[in-house]
Amino acid sequence: MYFRYKKGLKWVNEQLQKLPTTTISPEELGEVDKLKIIFLIDYYTVDNRFKGEAGVSYYITADGFRILFDTGFNTKKEEPSPLLRNAQLMGLKFPDDTDIIVISHMHLDHIGGIKNQLKRTFSLSKKDLDLTGIKAYVPVPMTHPTAEVILNQAPTTLHRGVLVTDPLPSMLYFMGRTPEEALVVNLKDKGLVALVGCGHQKVQNLLNYLEKLIPIPVYAVIGGVHLPVTQSREVRLGLPMQKFLGTGKPPWNPPSKEDVEELVKFLKSKNVQKVGISAHDSCDYTINRFKEEWKDNYIDIKVGKEVTLE
Ligand SMILES: [Fe+2]
């Protein structure tokens, strides 16, 4: 396993050297005036009407273009799923209220459960919805009974001002190679807003990649950064799972407070104005450090909350 890991790290570095495979001009990408994000699945909720999970699903509206970014965990295989129930409470009905689906990476907490991961598919609920006519951009080969699944292999403009990145490489010690793509919105007069699923690709790698891809500064980073330092949301047999699984670090050197400081410093050096950290794969210690640093510009990620950036 150690040698597989070493080999994987080499592959990550080689891939990162090659990416991005192209560049995009601000004119080609375009921009949006208004960006709305509704958190449909994450660990914390605004109140107990909503169901929180250690997974991710965000609903993004960029000047009217509606994107469902990841489809949650549905840990207990419920019908309807927490995703659909939370969406209903927010006045949303799927599939009618989405134009496109983007899957950040093929891990259970982002595609509707372990069964889906094993079958290389995704779903919004236990009984899946009919997604005929809806495109789903995925970072690795996957299928879906009704959606039009598109394997994303290059930075792709989905709509004016909205882009999905190349799947960036990562090597997780136990889980192996995990390409992950991010959603990026170019917000007028502000800059890029990067929406991240789990952050396996590392936010530092993502921002360095974006710097080469498009000459627009990153204004905001919102989503998972995978820094479970003092606690893990998933504990099995007394083991803090996320500390060892889903991290690009080896088990003898798990994510640490130093890694949190490194990311804080990095985002400050890039002058990132707004930050929101997902609690689904980071602990409260990490979240509080970012809150301390970004103060009023920190975006609290809670299910049932709607954030507007303009
Ligand atoms: Fe995750």
Side-chain angles (χ1 to χ4, degrees), residues 41 51-54 72-83 85 108-109 112-115 125-127 234 236:
I41 290 290
K51 176 83 168 58
E53 292 188 315
F73 200 159
N74 199 6
T75 332
K76 293 182 187 140
K77 314 214 172 1
E78 291 169 77
E79 184 59 45
S81 62
L83 167 61
R85 297 200 316 265
L108 61 175
D109 51 330
I114 182 72
K115 258 193 174 167
S125 198
K126 190 183 171 207
K127 263 202 280 156
E234 290 284 320
R236 303 256 165 95

Side-chain angles (χ1 to χ4, degrees), residues 267-279:
L267 293 175
K268 291 262 170 187
S269 78
K270 298 291 176 192
N271 203 22
V272 174
Q273 302 291 306
K274 287 189 180 275
V275 173
I277 303 292
S278 166

Side-chain angles (χ1 to χ4, degrees), residues 90-289:
M90 296 304 287
L92 296 170
K93 196 173 179 311
F94 295 125
D96 301 9
D97 287 332
T98 191
D99 295 309
I100 205 163
I101 295 171
V102 173
I103 299 291
S104 66
H105 65 300
M106 204 187 62
H107 274 178
L108 61 175
D109 51 330
H110 297 253
I111 55 173
I114 182 72
K115 258 193 174 167
N116 288 344
Q117 186 172 330
L118 296 170
K119 284 169 37 190
R120 302 187 75 95
T121 187
F122 63 90
S123 66
L124 277 65
S125 198
K126 190 183 171 207
K127 263 202 280 156
D128 203 7
L129 307 180
D130 183 355
L131 302 176
T132 303
I134 294 179
K135 289 186 173 125
Y137 281 78
V138 299
V140 291
M142 292 171 79
T143 58
H144 187 274
T146 51
E148 184 190 338
V149 180
I150 299 168
L151 175 61
N152 183 38
Q153 291 175 303
T156 307
T157 304
L158 302 175
H159 193 258
R160 182 172 43 81
V162 181
L163 173 126
V164 59
T165 68
D166 278 282
L168 297 193
S170 72
M171 180 64 200
L172 311 181
Y173 193 85
F174 292 107
M175 298 174 92
R177 297 179 185 194
T178 307
E180 178 167 336
E181 56 193 21
L183 193 67
V184 177
V185 178
N186 184 21
L187 190 61
K188 192 179 173 189
D189 299 332
K190 296 288 196 300
L192 303 179
V193 177
L195 292 138
V196 191
C198 240
H200 295 306
Q201 73 272 59
K202 266 193 108 173
V203 171
Q204 289 91 325
N205 290 339
L206 173 64
L207 265 54
N208 289 334
Y209 160 91
L210 287 174
E211 222 167 65
K212 288 192 254 168
L213 179 72
I214 186 160
I216 304 172
V218 173
Y219 168 68
V221 173
I222 300 166
V225 297
H226 205 96
L227 287 171
V229 173
T230 57
Q231 65 186 129
S232 174
R233 304 302 178 195
E234 290 284 320
V235 179
R236 303 256 165 95
L237 304 169
L239 278 173
M241 301 301 280
Q242 289 169 325
K243 231 177 142 87
F244 302 107
L245 296 180
T247 163
K249 301 188 79 185
W252 57 90
N253 182 25
S256 64
K257 291 181 178 176
E258 287 73 46
D259 294 319
V260 176
E261 296 314 311
E262 191 195 298
L263 182 57
V264 166
K265 230 171 115 187
F266 177 84
L267 293 175
K268 291 262 170 187
S269 78
K270 298 291 176 192
N271 203 22
V272 174
Q273 302 291 306
K274 287 189 180 275
V275 173
I277 303 292
S278 166
H280 95 283
D281 65 348
S282 285
C283 59
D284 295 346
Y285 171 86
T286 299
I287 287 167
N288 288 333
R289 273 299 290 129

